[in-house]
Amino acid sequence: MIRRLLLMALAMILLFVANLYYGSVAIPAEAVTHMLCGGVAEHSAWMYILWENRVPQAVTAMLCGTGLAAAGLMLQTIFRNPLAGPSILGIDGGANLGVAIAMLLLGGQFAAGSFSLSGFVLVIVSAMIGAWAVMLLLMLFSRWLRSNTMLLIVGVMVGYLTSSAISLLNYGATEEGVRSFMVWGLGSFANVTADRMPTFAVTMAVGICGALLLLKPLNLLLLGERYAANLGLNVQHTRTLLLGITGLLTAGSTAFCGPIAFIGLAVPHLARLALGTADHHTLMPATMLMGANLALLCNLISTLPATVVIPINVITPVLGAPVVIWVIVNMQRS
């Protein structure tokens, strides 16, 4: 088990390094090595590409993949549903609605007296507000609804409502606004620049640490809520806490990178398949490592064409959909 985790960690390091050496702009490997060792490149553009684009992009992919995979595993454990993922509760939809309001309704600018927001800052704030609004709504419902199934249905219905509102905003928006919103929805790890990295990194790190601190409650929930309660676990409090951490990870990744699809849904199954265990003490680290690996691989694939960068959400379904299909077929057989 430890050996497999070490192999996953080694793969993550190799993929991270590959993201630094390879990109849509060809830079000699010796020049990249020289810059990473503190040297100055012969072309200033190479310095900018490495330190302002490739390094932040690789770190963003690693953190985003780690957080979304952890969120997916927690949701699948909470709801005891193998097809649960970060988007299933409508948190992604809330972030999408927030960005749609900012781009399509407000035209990318918001002003109230001397206070004003515009551009990418407005997108981040709007996405966070939308995601947190849905998350707080779900946490409120979690206090009323004892059944996880009912809470799951509420999340799906919230997702439908946000989707309907977005469709209405798209219908009355300008062509430029619709295009901007569509491009944001395709997802990108390149949105987090060096100056935005501290905020993004802290947000994701808090959520990831929170997930690692709840491994024992997650294992207890595998036994069933009644059994977990008999063992002294406050199920309702734990469920609210898990929803809060999941919401933080989903909101942070969606706000900065757009709605990244399939990582949270597919990666936990890949980790279970690789380890053959449901123990979160090993399954959670494996899921995080595999999430980081998948995100780094997708980011690397997105730069394969020399003339254009492929959006992340074009690649993730190609890698994630077969896993989901396998899960569904396996459920039918069992």
Side-chain angles (χ1 to χ4, degrees), residues 172-258:
T174 63
E175 182 179 347
E176 182 181 353
V178 172
R179 176 175 173 78
S180 298
F181 180 70
M182 184 190 71
V183 170
W184 175 84
L186 290 174
S188 174
F189 296 133
N191 293 332
V192 184
T193 55
D195 58 321
R196 297 167 184 161
M197 180 58 67
T199 304
F200 174 73
V202 169
T203 301
M204 300 304 291
V206 170
I208 291 168
C209 291
L212 291 173
L213 291 174
L214 291 173
L215 299 181
K216 184 177 179 180
L218 284 168
N219 276 342
L220 290 177
L221 287 174
L222 288 175
L223 305 173
E225 291 190 0
R226 290 186 178 180
Y227 196 82
N230 290 335
L231 292 175
L233 181 69
N234 188 329
V235 175
Q236 186 174 357
H237 175 73
T238 301
R239 185 172 62 173
T240 302
L241 192 58
L242 287 169
L243 285 175
I245 294 172
T246 301
L248 178 64
L249 290 170
T250 307
S253 63
T254 306
F256 283 88
C257 306

Side-chain angles (χ1 to χ4, degrees), residues 96-97 100-101 103-106 159-174 177-178 181:
N96 290 347
L97 179 58
I101 292 173
M103 289 185 175
L104 305 178
L105 186 63
L106 301 179
Y160 278 121
L161 289 172
T162 56
S163 178
S164 177
I166 291 171
S167 298
L168 182 62
L169 289 171
N170 270 313
Y171 184 76
T174 63
V178 172
F181 180 70

